[in-house]
Amino acid sequence: MKAMVYGGPGSKSWTDVPDPAIINPGDAIIQVDAVTICGTDLHIFGGDVPAVTPGRILGHEAVGTVVDVGSGVNTLAPGDRVLASCITACGTCRYCRVGSYGQCLGGGGWILGHKIDGVQAEFARLPFADLSTYKLASAVRDEDAVLLADILPTSYEVGVRNGSVQPGDTVVIVGAGPIGLAAILTARLYSPSRIIVIDKAETRLTAAKQFGADITILPDADPLEVVRAATDGLGADVVIEAVGTPATFELCTTLVRPGGHVANIGVHGKPATLHLEDLWIRNITITMGLVDTYSTPTLLTMLAAGQLDVANMVTHRYGLDEFETAYDTFARAADTGALKVLLTRS
């Protein structure tokens, strides 16, 4: 089959690789029908995730059709259409037993496209398939469902839920890429009084408005002054970091009010300074982490019921054999206006 293979920092190729096969009884093999590219994949190419070694098939966001299952799989059968979660769960370790699937000790966690071959391919092996896939209703489109493999649960769990967004809050989101836009959608479920979004790309700020942002700001427009003006000088109740650079993290800590919350979602490849000399006296809570995907069933139910409108998230569409072009489009989002790029089987 063909797959997108990592060759080391700055190197990738759509090339021939062996077909995946059942290795363990809990495995399933899917034909990949729809797949997308994550900002984390760009971090991998930048050398920010050294656990990803050359030769790895990338990708952790896909919808596919089951073509084979291991002898231990009980809930899936060939022909089922499923969402392949970015997080794999063994279901029995200490962390899985409390729903912290991202920290799975039994061979799961974030492994697809990271520690084992991923889903940017024509076919993929999914370990612990009973617990790590979700059957899809016929009314749910592939291109909508694939957004629930990672970005929607990540924004909801790591940003909105961990950030403790409450009704009436002022929420600031730094970064209007797909994760930031998903944070707008899921923050709005909690009726904040206003959502303020900061990004350096005008196209993404326009998208942020479409997704429900009340105020958008360019970084050179003094975000601190704008946030203070909107909050009677207090600062934001919750600030969500959705980029993953030292500068954006430090900006978040300046925008939060005393007693407020900074929720870091971004994947960081370099150290960021934590200004405890300023923050300790302000009662600031800072959270960060990897998504657990405990919310995926709820989000799928809301998607099927029309309560999550993700229709405008996908801006560019390609065939599977156009991965090289799709990566270029996604990497140059400021120029191309790309939010999520979708690749589908012809």
Side-chain angles (χ1 to χ4, degrees):
M1 70 171 184
K2 293 283 191 180
M4 198 67 188
V5 177
Y6 175 64
S11 174
K12 62 187 182 299
S13 61
W14 178 250
T15 189
D16 290 307
V17 298
D19 290 349
I22 299 292
I23 296 175
N24 299 309
D27 292 348
I29 306 296
I30 63 167
Q31 172 182 275
V32 175
D33 299 322
V35 61
T36 186
I37 301 169
C38 181
T40 304
D41 296 318
L42 300 184
H43 281 282
I44 290 170
F45 284 121
D48 295 341
V49 190
V52 181
T53 55
R56 177 70 64 229
I57 297 173
L58 294 172
H60 54 267
E61 300 173 89
V63 167
T65 303
V66 175
V67 297
D68 195 11
V69 296
S71 60
V73 175
N74 298 310
T75 62
L76 300 177
D80 287 341
R81 190 169 67 107
V82 296
L83 170 67
S85 177
C86 68
I87 297 296
T88 302
C90 80
T92 59
C93 74
R94 176 179 179 181
Y95 287 110
C96 284
R97 293 292 290 270
V98 296
S100 295
Y101 307 121
Q103 302 304 319
C104 176
L105 297 172
W110 172 39
I111 58 173
L112 292 174
H114 180 207
K115 298 180 179 180
I116 69 169
D117 287 336
V119 297
Q120 290 177 5
E122 294 178 311
F123 294 88
R125 180 179 72 94
L126 305 178
F128 305 111
D130 281 330
L131 293 170
S132 307
T133 63
Y134 302 86
K135 290 184 183 179
L136 295 174
S138 59
V140 175
R141 301 186 305 168
D142 288 356
E143 70 175 63
D144 296 334
V146 75
L147 301 175
L148 273 66
D150 184 356
I151 63 167
L152 262 295
T154 294
S155 294
Y156 181 57
E157 296 174 20
V158 184
V160 175
R161 291 292 299 272
N162 287 359
S164 300
V165 175
Q166 301 293 323
D169 278 355
T170 293
V171 177
V172 172
I173 299 169
V174 178
I179 286 287
L181 297 178
I184 297 172
L185 284 178
T186 52
R188 287 178 62 85
L189 299 174
Y190 289 83
S191 300
S193 63
R194 64 182 66 83
I195 296 176
I196 301 171
V197 177
I198 304 166
D199 198 281
K200 62 183 180 181
E202 289 276 14
T203 56
R204 290 196 161 182
L205 291 180
T206 299
K209 279 282 191 180
Q210 294 172 346
F211 277 80
D214 300 290
I215 300 171
T216 57
I217 314 171
L218 290 166
D220 57 3
D222 197 351
L224 180 58
E225 182 61 32
V226 175
V227 171
R228 284 179 172 171
T231 58
D232 296 325
L234 289 177
D237 299 284
V238 181
V239 184
I240 296 174
E241 201 285 339
V243 181
T245 68
T248 52
F249 176 78
E250 292 176 35
L251 173 61
C252 290
T253 63
T254 68
L255 301 177
V256 66
R257 67 167 175 80
H261 201 127
V262 175
N264 182 89
I265 304 176
V267 176
H268 289 264
K270 297 179 181 179
T273 302
L274 183 62
H275 288 285
L276 289 177
E277 74 279 10
D278 297 324
L279 297 172
W280 75 269
I281 202 170
R282 294 169 56 204
N283 293 21
I284 304 301
T285 299
I286 299 175
T287 58
M288 62 200 72
L290 178 66
V291 64
D292 290 313
T293 64
Y294 65 79
S295 66
T296 302
T298 298
L299 295 172
L300 277 172
T301 299
M302 297 178 69
L303 182 67
Q307 293 175 296
L308 279 177
D309 184 4
V310 298
N312 294 322
M313 189 74 77
V314 174
T315 55
H316 294 72
R317 294 169 173 80
Y318 300 95
L320 282 182
D321 60 351
E322 298 179 286
F323 252 112
E324 299 274 5
T325 302
Y327 260 99
D328 178 68
T329 299
F330 188 59
R332 296 188 302 105
D335 299 321
T336 63
L339 299 178
K340 288 296 277 186
V341 298
L342 182 75
L343 299 99
T344 55
R345 182 174 297 278
S346 300

